[in-house]
Amino acid sequence: MYLKKSKSIGASSPLNGIGKQDWNSRRKRKVGEISQALSVTPVDVAALRRMAISEGGLLTDEIRCRVWPKLLNVNTDDLPEKLAEGLRENHKDYHQVLLDVRRSLRRFPPGMPDDQREGLQEELIDIILHVLDRNPQLYYYQGYHDIVVTFLLVLGERLATVLVEKLSTHHLRDFMDPTMDNTKHILNYLMPIIERVNPEVHDFMQQAEVGTIFALSWLITWFGHVLSDFRHVVRLYDFFLACHPLMPIYFAAVIVLYREEEVLECECDMASVHHLLSQIPQDLPYEMLISRAGDLFVQFPPSELAREATQQHSQQTAASTFKDFELASAQQRPDSVLRRRRKEQAALAEQAQAQAMVVARPRAKRLIRLAVMGLTVALGAAALAVVNTALEWAPKLDLQFFP
Amino acid sequence: MESSLELTTSLPGTCLPPPRSRIFKIIVIGDSGVGKTCLTYRFCAGKFPDKTEATIGVDFREKVIEIDGEKIKVQLWDTAGQERFRKSMVQHYYRNVHAVVFVYDVTNAASFRSLPAWIEECRQHSLGQEVPRILVGNKCDLRDAVQVGTDPAQKFADSHSMPLFETSAKNPDDNDHVEAIFMTVAHKLKSQKPLMLSQPLGGEGFMPMRKSEEEEEKGVLACSC
Ligand SMILES: Nc1nc2c(ncn2[C@@H]2O[C@H](COP(=O)(O)OP(=O)(O)OP(=O)(O)O)[C@@H](O)[C@H]2O)c(=O)[nH]1
Ligand SMILES: [Mg+2]
């Protein structure tokens, strides 16, 4: 049922005039489905994941308050009453956090009164220090505050605190090491993904020696640092919360690929290409890009890219790859899951074959043009596969997220 | 939309390339919060930014200047100050740098004490001694809060044989104007390397500029410097 429904998605975006009525009714149905998934015992987390990924994401902040905790498997019954006092001056990162939060004015809604914003900024500092204090293995990075502010604005202080803590020890874990070696390793996935889809863009970027730092802030803030419209940010957070922790790097690749023409027209040197790419256009077609990122994840799962990503930067990354491997191999799944997964993959492959134009190229092993695939491969199938593949390659991810 | 993923056959360079201009690449480093973003913005956009945010990774700004009738592109690489971003992360951006600007905050002694670490950072990225370096003490407008006096700063600068500039990205009435400082570097580079710094071959396409930048740049060029 999900599959059928999502086939029509690409045709009418939520903003498209003709599809408006259509979208309204689908939206209403989606709200109903989310309520349904929330009301069963145990909560239907798989359905919630699909909702978070599919068109429009979780729709409202009210729904997000109820669903995000489920996606992160956080129990909201016993929230902390009050955050510990006196953390401030004593904490080693206090000054950096203060400096970053003070400068984070752009993250707050434009019309918000100053005193309200200042109150929230204080809460933001408290949450960050609270989480860092309770988890001495985590190190603050500039950009972490861009993620936390999003949770604060959507969920309020208490709920944000517990969710951010969970997120920090899982999805963001690699960014919070003492060094950025693991972050760099994750950035190394970017070029292999681009190469698989569009070798020309890949080669151009290699020739320009642009590197991947243009995507650093995208990755470690889940795009919170670079998108000015808060609605787009939370929409992406719906998506990322429901997916594998490496999904943001696939999304980064999708953005670069979407700008193919601009990139190829750019002067082929580091400065020009870095400059072009680091300025994200604010009017991206998010729903389409999200479904593309899902497609790419299915076609080129991290396991397939891991070796290349590691080769790009051999030294430190060996350790993290090993960690991935160790974890992945420790993850045992019951047969029924395996069987279901195999069936889904078979179905997906069939569709892909039917609908995709496979361009044989000497350099690219199998290049499936997303122009053809992107919207036609049912997002539902992709989403499901995303969820399941996440089990296999999870850097420091807790299995409990993917029941 | 789907067409945007079609193969593009038109390559840059089909239009007449603009006359070759030299590019000076300058990297700006120093602790978080000393005002690197404000200084680079001030130079490129001609004003103090009303809001800055933490720099994550590396930002790039550029301005076309004219020296002795020659148009020169000054590229400023504004780096992240937090320690974890140094080392491996921004390594890439130290390559082919023509000059280095070290920044500290005159109201923050710790940022001054970090300078040796920044100099060491440069050394590790194998920047040669011939690469010009300058030292900039920022936020001089905050006169009551000064923690680093001119004397120790000058001493330090001398010991590393670099010129010292004390300035303010915010307050435009300073003697040492931000514009003037970067222009000094550019002059130095121009006299030092008359032949070396030219645009890489094969990169002679044109760079599409967004409107705001064009406007910004016009504003910049109109300002007196
Ligand atoms: N009074 C005064 N404040 C300044 C001046 N320059 C910068 N600031 C302020 O200092 C703070 C930090 O400035 P930034 O330019 O963002 O600092 P940065 O060095 O780029 O910091 P990172 O990006 O974290 O490395 C901001 O709040 C600025 O408004 C100055 O000349 N005078
Ligand atoms: Mg900065």
Side-chain angles (χ1 to χ4, degrees), chain A residues 302-336:
Chain A
S303 53
E304 196 183 293
L305 306 171
R307 182 173 305 160
E308 271 166 83
T310 305
Q311 271 167 356
Q312 279 191 28
H313 193 73
S314 51
Q315 211 190 352
Q316 304 96 333
T317 47
S320 67
T321 315
F322 176 65
K323 242 176 283 163
D324 295 2
F325 178 72
E326 207 176 30
L327 255 165
S329 52
Q331 292 168 356
Q332 305 284 330
R333 277 169 295 134
D335 275 345
S336 61

Side-chain angles (χ1 to χ4, degrees), chain A residues 23-57:
Chain A
W23 167 240
N24 273 342
S25 64
R26 269 181 304 161
R27 184 191 161 99
K28 219 177 259 166
R29 194 166 59 217
K30 192 171 187 181
V31 172
E33 283 172 354
I34 294 171
S35 303
Q36 170 66 25
L38 280 168
S39 64
V40 294
T41 331
V43 167
D44 189 350
V45 179
L48 293 177
R49 271 181 208 294
R50 287 198 304 272
M51 300 295 150
I53 294 170
S54 64
E55 187 189 20

